[in-house]
Amino acid sequence: MKLSSSVFALLCLICEIVSIALFLRGFFPVPVKSSFSAKSKVNDFPAEPQTGSGPNSSKAPAPLFKRVVIVLIDALREDFVFGSDGRRFMPYTRHVVERGSSHSFIAKARPPTVTMPRIKALTTGSIPGFIDVVMNLNSPALLEDNLIWQAKSAGKRIIFYGDDTWVRLFPKHFMEHDGTTSFFVSDYTEVDNNVTRHLDGTLKRDDWDILILHYLGLDHIGHISGPHSSLIGPKLMEMDDIIKKIHSSLISKESEGTLPNLLVLCGDHGMSETGSHGGSSEPEINTPLVLISPAFKRKAGFEEPGVLEQVDLTPTLALGLGLPISKNSVGHLISAVFEELSLREQLRLLQINGHQLSRLLQDSSPTFHKEDGYEQFRMAEKSHGSWMKLYVDGNTSEVLSNMGKKVLKQYLEALKAMSSALSKQLGKYDMYSMIMGMIFILQVLFLLLLAMPEALSREAVVDVPLASSLLSLPFYLLCLFGSALHVLICTSAGGPCYLCSLPWVLVFIVILMSSAFTCALASMAARRMSTGNKTPTKSSNWTLSELDALLLVGMVGHTLSLGSSSFIEEEHQTWYFLLNTLCLAVFQDVCRKYFREQRHRGEEEDEGPLLPSSAKEGPSFSPAAELGMSPGSEKWLALATPLLTLTCCRLLRSLNQTGVQWAHLPDFGHWLNSGDHKAFLSLLAVVSLVLIFLLVQRHCSLVSKIALALGLLGVYSYRAAVGNVLFPWQHSSRAVSKGTVEARFVYVFVLGILFTGVKDLLRSQVMSSAVDSGRLKSRGLWEVYSGVVLLVALLFRAHNLPTLACCLLIQTIMAQFIWKKLHYDAAQTTIMHYWFGQAFFFFQGNSNNIGTVDISVGFVGLESYVEAPAIFLTALSTYAGPLLWACHLLCFLSSQRDRAVMGLGHGSYCFALLRSIPAVFYVVLVTSLRYHLFIWSVFSPKLLYEAMHTLITTAVCLFFTFMDQERSARP
Amino acid sequence: MWDVEIRGMASAHAIIASSIFMATVMPAVFVENFSVYGTHMVWLYCMAGSVAVVNIAVFWLLGISPPTKKHTVSYKINRLFRSCLYFILSCLFFHTVVVLYGAPLLESALETFSLAVLLSTLTTLRCLCILGPNVQAWIRVFSRDGAMSVWDTSLQITTGCSVIGAWLGAFPIPLDWDRPWQVWPISCTLGATTGFLTGLLAAPVWIHWHRKQLTYKLK
Ligand SMILES: [Zn+2]
Ligand SMILES: [Zn+2]
């Protein structure tokens, strides 16, 4: 099957998008969530069976504890308390665990074992999914139903000291708080002193109900020197003293007639043998959980602590405080805590917990009837009812207590089954889908790479041996093998699996395609080998210029840099750096072009001054002449171009500070937006808009020029209406409106210009003369381009308009003096466009963090939020930089008479390759780093950006292919 | 003749390299708490100064510099004056380039300028010593196939290595390791110095290796 380069690139990109989508589906499992976003209320409690339907029947159970102190020690490993370290360094805690009235357990934390999701798990009782966290990056406050919210709305007074993640998650929830930043990992004393210094005062007071302490020092020590360092011992002793202090204070406050207090000692996650955390190794997920209260029976000696899930603490604490269990909690009650209660009360609490779990199960799984736990719970509820009947009747025989114990056991089993059914659905990567997506995307990449010599040849035609491979034997064998594997995996898979839930036909098509790809790849590789052996000399005469070397090194370097989380956070630095070097390399090329000629002429004069020689004008066409300048000045303009570009880039760089490490530094954009400098911002906006008009109008027809001018005026009046800039002729302070009318006015012109452009493009199809049609087509393309520019000008914030103007300026001068004059080929030009596009993505203030996406763009010209246009506009404005450069590349390549023939094909092929290499590398990388500490604070958002960028590139390639098809359709 | 020249160059390079070593070790005697990170600026100036002095001395003694046509004092002063001017211009040039690469404009301007001085010392000063203040000759040496002697080739190699070293030295800056050498401009100066040393080492080896292919036009 013979395909032109552009069609080939487009098909590859489409396959890539599909496989990335599959990968993402596996990477971000759908979290278990109640379909109602409301929070649990007290009157949601189920009625206690057989007590009539009076108002008392569904009242909340009485609280068990008066006050609760939660001591959360970050990265407290299980053996720090229960192991030999605990015996040595935490004597008091060990004594309480062994002899005191306490319960101790090993609580298993779910990966990712990182602080923030663990705090979320402890407070909501759910297990946060990755997509959940990524989606919540914009609003760090926890909106889900949680224990803290429940406590606060029940009127409990909460005090918090420790890691400021809590303060960010629960703003305004605490009566008193002092957050400590965990940013400086090297400090392990101050962070804890900051918590402890409040302790004495707080313990003396009586005005609080819940005290939460989150100690960070141990985690920091782990990060610095690991779990066996000499710093661990003193830290654990310090913690032991704190436990002792709190415990004795609580005991001294204990008085007859009031409820007992509860002290909870727990860790959010453990610590691996190297001292880090985030993964799922045993020492990382096993944390101690010690509950200390006079309400419990005294221990006789050390018993092996029982194992439970970390989320089990949430319903236990909720019911212990007489609060409703939060909606998405998947844990079940720790029955030991309640064993001193009467049987009736115990059954009641278990019923409440079971009711909540069964509701969640109904919401999250369509096949909840088939779950064992659900059935068991129904049974248990029934026997609970008959037990209550006997109880209300006043029966107090042994039969009753035996029967009650049976009901209790039934309940416990039902709870356990439901809880595990719920947690099975989440917190797991769907590895099968991920690996299939990865295999696909790798196949596509190899296909692209193998096709490189053909795709970049003069014919720009790729021959994919698909038909022959469809008839080969290995293809059928592979299909069989794939199907067998699929059946095997799906029947044995433990967790949820997206591919297995797909219809059989779809999966079979997937297997067919994968096998066909493999066969095609093999035969292409074989063909390449044989031609490579035949003509080995062909590659040696292809020399690498400095610029080619730089472009290659840059691409490889950037791709490799994605392996480091800092380089992802600071990716803009990589691009700015590469772009600068590129400009300098281009500058050197220009110098070489203009000065070497001179040197050949002026070799005899040894120390002569550097006079501009009157360079011979080869071609009759000269860009300088077109701009109305003398031909002699063209050389100086060409020399000035890279320098001007460098200056522009340097200025833009300080316009929007982005990234993480230096994001807090003041930048020019903030200065402009601060309100005091509105006049300056207005002036800058006007200058930018005028510059945009001057730069864009050159290629357009008269009608489009007028439309463009009016449209840009509209942009300014929109910004004035929204209140960003000043209206010079209207001094009365107008009320700030939403500017809907103005924005729609601009939309009309955008559509008008786009329509004119498309009309020209279509008309060029039916023209008879090739020259005329070529000119018309080029004009049509430029008009479409100016339509896009106008739309982007509307969407960009006022302080970003200079970015757009600089973008257009650089495009114009580079095209005039560099790309045309220095005869860079289509591949080199494409790579440079790609680099510029990437740099402009960051120049406009984006970063690899979801938080920097400007969502307000979705409301431009709309009265209210409408999903489809809002998403489109947001995507357009976020990716404006790469998009504009890609559009410019298209216009530039097709306006080049001499190489338009294969230029477009080469361009779109290079674009596809440039996008595929980092995307594929990144997908593989993320798979291998899926237990990394920063997996979803850094790597997952970047994955979403990569996927989105690939989608945008596919759209651009589609446009390329259309233009290329028009060309090839003509004789 | 070849071997003699290469040997001469190797020994000259060895002297320059040892001067860098001395500049790193010697100041510890005179300066309290001297260390490459802690008192980085002192180290930088020491090194730049010693490299400059040793370079000038070596090339003056060896007589590598192009023969001057006239021997009048005024001509020599003119040459000296122009050399100084070129050196300062090159410092300003490097400073501009570093700022374009993203160094802060006003903040830590002294550090940036020190880096520029170091780079000029490692590159421009050697050019001035070997080629004299002659822009045409510089352009010749740094265009393709422009080397006319062993010294030209060594100049190409050391200059390229120093600049690439400084370029590579900028890479670790964004990493969040909080190491002392990530402070601006330490990694870049270290990179440039390492590159320069590599160049000094590589130049004789490379020339020796490629002595068959190298055919210089006779002067
Ligand atoms: Zn933690
Ligand atoms: Zn940590």
Side-chain angles (χ1 to χ4, degrees):
Chain A
M1 195 163 60
K2 279 197 188 291
L3 296 168
S4 76
S5 288
S6 49
V7 176
F8 174 71
L10 180 68
L11 288 180
C12 284
L13 275 176
I14 289 175
C15 288
E16 227 161 75
I17 278 292
V18 172
S19 32
I20 289 183
L22 181 65
F23 180 85
L24 288 183
R25 187 64 177 70
F27 188 76
F28 297 116
V30 186
V32 173
K33 258 219 181 125
S34 156
S35 48
F36 313 102
S37 57
K39 306 197 158 124
S40 297
K41 284 184 232 71
V42 178
N43 50 17
D44 284 348
F45 282 127
E48 193 173 7
Q50 297 298 325
T51 47
S53 52
N56 273 0
S57 65
S58 65
K59 75 171 167 52
L64 260 66
F65 304 108
K66 184 163 161 254
R67 288 176 170 186
V68 175
V69 179
I70 300 172
V71 181
L72 178 68
I73 300 176
D74 211 290
L76 187 65
R77 231 158 82 151
E78 162 265 320
D79 63 330
F80 287 163
V81 177
F82 303 135
S84 60
D85 276 347
R87 199 170 301 126
R88 259 193 304 166
F89 301 122
M90 300 190 87
Y92 184 77
T93 313
R94 270 304 277 253
H95 177 252
V96 173
V97 164
E98 282 170 24
R99 306 259 160 214
S101 51
S102 67
H103 290 296
S104 22
F105 306 95
I106 292 175
K108 290 213 177 272
R110 287 298 188 99
T113 44
V114 192
T115 306
M116 210 245 279
R118 298 290 30 100
I119 295 176
K120 281 191 174 177
L122 279 170
T123 51
T124 62
S126 65
I127 299 167
F130 283 90
I131 197 78
D132 224 22
V133 179
V134 173
M135 288 306 164
N136 285 335
L137 283 177
N138 283 341
S139 59
L142 187 59
L143 301 172
E144 230 177 291
D145 192 4
N146 62 69
L147 186 65
I148 307 293
W149 184 89
Q150 291 288 358
K152 177 158 191 294
S153 48
K156 306 265 182 209
R157 292 153 299 177
I158 314 169
I159 296 183
F160 170 76
Y161 301 118
D163 187 350
D164 64 353
T165 312
W166 287 77
V167 183
R168 274 185 277 127
L169 282 174
F170 308 105
K172 299 189 189 142
H173 283 63
F174 302 120
M175 180 181 88
E176 206 179 294
H177 62 79
D178 181 15
T180 310
T181 174
S182 59
F183 193 71
F184 302 105
V185 180
S186 50
D187 162 40
Y188 53 85
T189 45
E190 275 307 305
V191 279
D192 286 353
N193 291 343
N194 205 21
V195 179
T196 313
R197 68 191 163 126
H198 301 284
L199 199 55
D200 285 325
T202 312
L203 285 175
K204 279 195 196 100
R205 283 159 34 194
D206 277 324
D207 60 343
W208 52 268
D209 301 302
I210 300 175
L211 172 64
I212 303 172
L213 306 167
H214 186 150
Y215 283 98
L216 279 173
L218 187 66
D219 176 68
H220 290 186
I221 291 176
H223 285 296
I224 297 167
S225 51
H228 304 295
S229 94
S230 55
L231 298 169
I232 294 276
K235 183 50 85 180
L236 288 179
M237 283 185 209
E238 183 192 333
M239 293 296 123
D240 194 46
D241 280 344
I242 286 159
I243 301 284
K244 186 176 182 180
K245 186 188 278 175
I246 297 171
H247 191 207
S248 47
S249 152
L250 286 181
I251 286 173
S252 71
K253 295 229 162 175
E254 214 72 58
S255 58
E256 219 35 63
T258 56
L259 289 172
N261 297 325
L262 173 68
L263 170 59
V264 181
L265 167 68
C266 59
D268 57 344
H269 49 77
M271 191 189 283
S272 70
E273 282 306 299
T274 54
S276 73
H277 52 92
S280 55
S281 71
E282 280 290 308
E284 277 165 284
I285 60 172
N286 285 345
T287 64
L289 171 65
V290 183
L291 304 163
I292 308 165
S293 169
F296 305 145
K297 248 196 299 203
R298 270 189 182 280
K299 285 277 165 64
F302 184 66
E303 303 156 10
E304 271 302 308
V307 177
L308 42 75
E309 292 277 336
Q310 205 177 30
V311 286
D312 292 345
L313 182 63
T314 322
T316 311
L317 277 181
L319 291 180
L321 287 164
L323 304 169
I325 302 174
S326 39
K327 236 180 189 139
N328 297 327
S329 158
V330 298
H332 58 88
L333 284 182
I334 304 171
S335 56
V337 173
F338 303 99
E339 66 195 4
E340 299 292 296
L341 293 179
S342 75
L343 203 52
R344 180 182 171 180
E345 283 169 308
Q346 285 190 48
L347 289 179
R348 170 79 178 132
L349 293 178
L350 290 172
Q351 186 210 1
I352 291 172
N353 190 201
H355 180 76
Q356 175 260 334
L357 284 176
S358 69
R359 288 272 298 271
L360 184 61
L361 199 60
Q362 282 176 24
D363 280 342
S364 59
S365 155
T367 58
F368 65 93
H369 293 291
K370 289 182 204 155
E371 293 288 348
D372 291 344
Y374 191 77
E375 270 313 299
Q376 284 173 346
F377 177 65
R378 288 273 156 263
M379 295 288 293
E381 236 179 355
K382 248 180 230 152
S383 27
H384 185 189
S386 39
W387 182 85
M388 274 304 284
K389 203 169 183 181
L390 288 177
Y391 181 84
V392 172
D393 288 348
N395 195 335
T396 49
S397 66
E398 191 140 320
V399 184
L400 185 73
S401 78
N402 279 345
M403 189 179 158
K405 276 185 191 133
K406 224 169 108 192
V407 178
L408 192 81
K409 215 166 151 196
Q410 258 180 323
Y411 262 138
L412 283 176
E413 271 166 16
L415 288 185
K416 208 171 257 171
M418 282 197 288
S419 184
S420 71
L422 278 168
S423 41
K424 230 181 230 164
Q425 294 183 21
L426 40 88
K428 254 189 201 161
Y429 294 106
D430 177 0
M431 279 311 278
Y432 183 39
S433 306
M434 279 166 70
I435 288 176
M436 280 310 282
M438 209 163 73
I439 290 175
F440 256 148
I441 202 172
L442 279 171
Q443 282 176 338
V444 173
L445 179 70
F446 284 128
L447 202 63
L448 269 172
L449 284 175
L450 277 177
M452 193 193 302
E454 286 176 60
L456 291 181
S457 67
R458 281 204 75 79
E459 295 80 34
V461 170
V462 181
D463 181 19
V464 184
L466 211 57
S468 63
S469 60
L470 278 181
L471 297 173
S472 62
L473 182 63
F475 169 69
Y476 296 107
L477 288 179
L478 270 174
C479 281
L480 262 177
F481 178 69
S483 312
L485 204 67
H486 178 75
V487 171
L488 191 72
I489 289 174
C490 284
T491 47
S492 66
C497 175
Y498 177 67
L499 273 180
C500 295
S501 65
L502 278 179
W504 173 238
V505 182
L506 256 176
V507 175
F508 192 67
I509 291 173
V510 169
I511 294 172
L512 277 184
M513 281 185 58
S514 177
S515 321
F517 263 148
T518 315
C519 293
L521 263 178
S523 65
M524 271 179 90
R527 199 171 64 200
R528 191 73 57 239
M529 292 281 227
S530 60
T531 52
N533 286 343
K534 258 182 270 169
T535 54
T537 49
K538 203 184 162 190
S539 58
S540 61
N541 58 23
W542 180 65
T543 53
L544 213 64
S545 75
E546 284 100 332
L547 191 75
D548 291 331
L550 171 69
L551 292 175
L552 262 178
V553 166
M555 291 314 301
V556 173
H558 166 253
T559 307
L560 290 180
S561 81
L562 293 178
S564 148
S565 59
S566 325
F567 276 122
I568 290 178
E569 283 173 342
E570 310 290 333
E571 199 191 344
H572 58 289
Q573 303 276 9
T574 316
W575 283 116
Y576 298 167
F577 198 75
L578 287 177
L579 197 66
N580 250 307
T581 315
L582 175 70
C583 286
L584 287 176
V586 167
F587 182 63
Q588 185 235 11
D589 262 10
V590 179
C591 284
R592 188 171 282 169
K593 175 177 154 59
Y594 286 103
F595 283 118
R596 191 191 271 163
E597 286 170 13
Q598 186 197 351
R599 193 167 66 83
H600 287 316
R601 268 194 304 279
E603 215 156 30
E604 58 274 13
E605 39 182 323
D606 202 28
E607 284 179 40
L610 278 161
L611 276 176
S613 62
S614 51
K616 239 189 356 229
E617 282 308 306
S620 57
F621 170 78
S622 148
E626 191 197 42
L627 291 178
M629 279 169 243
S630 71
S633 62
E634 184 197 309
K635 169 182 158 186
W636 296 109
L637 284 172
L639 280 173
T641 299
L643 301 179
L644 189 64
T645 310
L646 278 170
T647 321
C648 276
C649 290
R650 183 66 182 86
L651 291 177
L652 287 180
R653 184 191 178 109
S654 40
L655 186 66
N656 286 309
Q657 198 80 40
T658 175
V660 170
Q661 271 195 62
W662 295 281
H664 59 279
L665 294 181
D667 58 16
F668 200 52
H670 276 106
W671 186 82
L672 285 173
N673 282 326
S674 63
D676 309 335
H677 313 285
K678 216 173 186 177
F680 195 77
L681 181 63
S682 311
L683 188 71
L684 202 62
V686 170
V687 171
S688 310
L689 288 175
V690 170
L691 197 59
I692 291 169
F693 176 72
L694 289 178
L695 289 170
V696 175
Q697 50 88 26
R698 290 175 306 129
H699 303 283
C700 299
S701 62
L702 186 65
V703 182
S704 308
K705 271 182 202 177
I706 296 169
L708 186 68
L710 287 174
L712 289 173
L713 258 177
V715 169
Y716 190 81
S717 45
Y718 169 73
R719 284 293 154 201
V722 185
N724 292 143
V725 293
L726 298 167
F727 246 137
W729 55 85
Q730 193 162 14
H731 287 290
S732 61
S733 56
R734 303 188 321 162
V736 171
S737 73
K738 283 173 83 180
T740 318
V741 182
E742 287 87 346
R744 286 186 181 164
F745 176 77
V746 182
Y747 282 140
V748 169
F749 284 112
V750 171
L751 289 179
I753 295 173
L754 287 178
F755 177 73
T756 327
V758 173
K759 195 187 73 193
D760 279 354
L761 285 180
L762 290 178
R763 256 179 52 204
S764 74
Q765 290 297 95
V766 291
M767 295 267 278
S768 51
S769 135
V771 179
D772 276 354
S773 100
R775 193 176 301 141
L776 202 59
K777 193 178 123 184
S778 162
R779 202 176 73 187
L781 272 176
W782 282 109
E783 266 163 0
V784 171
Y785 175 68
S786 45
V788 175
V789 169
L790 182 58
L791 184 56
V792 171
L794 173 68
L795 298 181
F796 266 9
R797 301 239 171 162
H799 77 271
N800 259 341
L801 285 174
T803 318
L804 184 59
C806 279
C807 170
L808 297 174
L809 181 70
I810 294 174
Q811 284 173 354
T812 311
I813 57 176
M814 289 292 269
Q816 290 290 356
F817 300 109
I818 306 293
W819 289 318
K820 272 182 198 163
K821 295 268 105 184
L822 269 78
H823 304 290
Y824 289 131
D825 61 25
Q828 285 170 326
T829 318
T830 308
I831 299 178
M832 287 191 224
H833 270 87
Y834 180 79
W835 285 22
F836 270 107
Q838 286 293 299
F840 269 87
F841 176 76
F842 293 105
F843 279 141
Q844 60 184 86
N846 287 318
S847 72
N848 281 329
N849 192 331
I850 301 281
T852 49
V853 176
D854 185 4
I855 307 167
S856 66
V857 171
F859 294 91
V860 174
L862 298 173
E863 289 289 355
S864 61
Y865 181 77
V866 191
E867 195 162 0
I871 290 176
F872 173 74
L873 291 176
T874 310
L876 185 72
S877 99
T878 308
Y879 284 91
L883 208 60
L884 279 177
W885 280 93
C887 285
H888 182 265
L889 177 70
L890 179 62
C891 296
F892 175 75
L893 285 181
S894 46
S895 66
Q896 291 294 88
R897 284 295 108 218
D898 47 335
R899 56 177 172 208
V901 187
M902 74 296 179
L904 278 177
H906 289 183
S908 75
Y909 171 78
C910 286
F911 238 77
L913 192 65
L914 286 174
R915 189 78 283 280
S916 305
I917 292 174
V920 173
F921 177 77
Y922 196 71
V923 162
V924 175
L925 189 89
V926 162
T927 313
S928 60
L929 292 181
R930 61 190 181 281
Y931 294 120
H932 191 275
L933 188 58
F934 296 141
I935 183 71
W936 36 255
S937 60
V938 177
F939 289 104
S940 299
K942 174 68 179 159
L943 184 65
L944 293 180
Y945 270 106
E946 289 286 312
M948 194 62 205
H949 195 179
T950 314
L951 191 65
I952 298 271
T953 313
T954 314
V956 168
C957 268
L958 190 69
F959 203 39
F960 264 86
T961 312
F962 273 132
M963 299 319 297
D964 206 29
Q965 283 321 99
E966 280 178 20
R967 187 261 306 161
S968 54
R970 298 188 64 86
Chain B
M1 143 98 191
W2 265 102
D3 279 348
V4 174
E5 266 198 347
I6 294 174
R7 214 170 289 146
M9 186 173 67
S11 48
H13 283 187
I15 294 170
I16 296 167
S18 66
S19 81
I20 292 178
F21 177 71
M22 291 303 281
T24 313
V25 176
M26 282 305 284
V29 182
F30 308 106
V31 184
E32 287 280 319
N33 300 326
F34 178 83
S35 75
V36 174
Y37 304 143
T39 53
H40 185 69
M41 284 299 138
V42 177
W43 175 75
L44 198 156
Y45 296 136
C46 281
M47 201 188 56
S50 71
V51 168
V53 169
V54 171
N55 254 318
I56 293 170
V58 164
F59 289 112
W60 191 44
L61 289 176
L62 283 178
I64 305 295
S65 308
T68 48
K69 289 174 203 155
K70 297 165 231 165
H71 290 278
T72 57
V73 177
S74 69
Y75 182 76
K76 275 185 178 165
I77 288 177
N78 183 19
R79 268 176 71 93
L80 188 70
F81 176 72
R82 278 208 299 167
S83 298
C84 289
L85 185 70
Y86 282 0
F87 185 77
I88 291 166
L89 281 180
S90 110
C91 288
L92 291 177
F93 169 74
F94 276 118
H95 187 96
T96 319
V97 169
V98 172
V99 168
L100 285 176
Y101 264 102
L105 187 62
L106 301 174
E107 230 181 296
S108 63
L110 180 69
E111 280 87 348
T112 311
F113 192 72
S114 310
L115 175 65
V117 170
L118 179 74
L119 278 172
S120 300
T121 317
L122 299 184
T123 57
T124 317
L125 191 79
R126 280 173 60 81
C127 292
L128 285 171
C129 289
I130 296 178
L131 303 170
N134 177 350
V135 179
Q136 286 298 318
W138 292 17
I139 294 175
R140 168 180 61 74
V141 169
F142 288 107
S143 56
R144 203 171 284 163
D145 309 324
M148 293 206 317
S149 72
V150 190
W151 289 104
D152 288 358
T153 313
S154 113
L155 196 62
Q156 282 175 349
I157 292 173
T158 50
T159 307
C161 283
S162 314
V163 172
I164 290 174
W167 191 77
L168 289 175
F171 274 98
I173 296 178
L175 289 170
D176 59 354
W177 294 346
D178 292 327
R179 295 294 149 90
W181 44 266
Q182 280 180 298
V183 179
W184 175 251
I186 297 183
S187 62
C188 280
T189 53
L190 289 183
T193 316
T194 318
F196 182 64
L197 287 172
T198 317
L200 289 181
L201 184 74
V205 176
W206 194 86
I207 292 169
H208 183 75
W209 204 255
H210 288 85
R211 62 187 184 282
K212 295 272 154 50
Q213 286 100 306
L214 285 175
T215 45
Y216 296 118
K217 273 193 267 177
L218 288 173
K219 276 185 195 168

